[in-house]
């Protein structure tokens, strides 16, 4: 009996794929808990641009932990690029 028969290679391949999938699933389930704990401790605010379904880009502000989204600039039309690449100034 040859060790490298097609049947043995198939079985080894299935075992390797199952092991990789198990490790990936375990890592992913643990990282989501870590991400939630990490995000809840963040301080500060984030300003970002979001393109709406109608193609208009608006500027929003949200706390670093993901709570309190607030619209700070509403763009009236698609051709106005003021909100596409905003620049921060004091």
């Amino acid at each position: 009996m040859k060790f490298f028969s097609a049947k043995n290679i198939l079985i080894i391949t299935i075992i390797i794929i199952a092991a990789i999938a198990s490790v990936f699933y375990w890592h992913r389930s643990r990282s989501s808990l870590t991400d939630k704990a990490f995000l809840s401790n963040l301080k500060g605010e984030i300003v970002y641009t979001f393109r709406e379904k109608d193609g208009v880009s608006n500027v929003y502000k949200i706390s670093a932990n993901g709570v309190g989204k607030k619209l700070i600039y509403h763009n009236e039309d698609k051709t106005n690029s003021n909100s596409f690449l905003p620049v921060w100034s004091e």
Side-chain angles (χ1 to χ4, degrees), residues 35-76:
D35 293 345
K36 288 178 185 176
F38 174 76
L39 289 174
S40 67
N41 292 322
L42 289 177
K43 306 289 185 229
E45 296 177 318
I46 298 168
V47 176
Y48 65 96
T49 301
F50 181 77
R51 183 170 294 205
E52 306 292 344
K53 290 179 183 176
D54 59 1
V56 174
S57 295
N58 294 317
V59 180
Y60 291 89
K61 177 174 73 170
I62 193 167
S63 66
N65 64 6
V67 178
K69 177 181 167 183
K70 180 180 179 183
L71 176 68
I72 59 174
Y73 179 80
H74 174 66
N75 200 352
E76 295 297 325

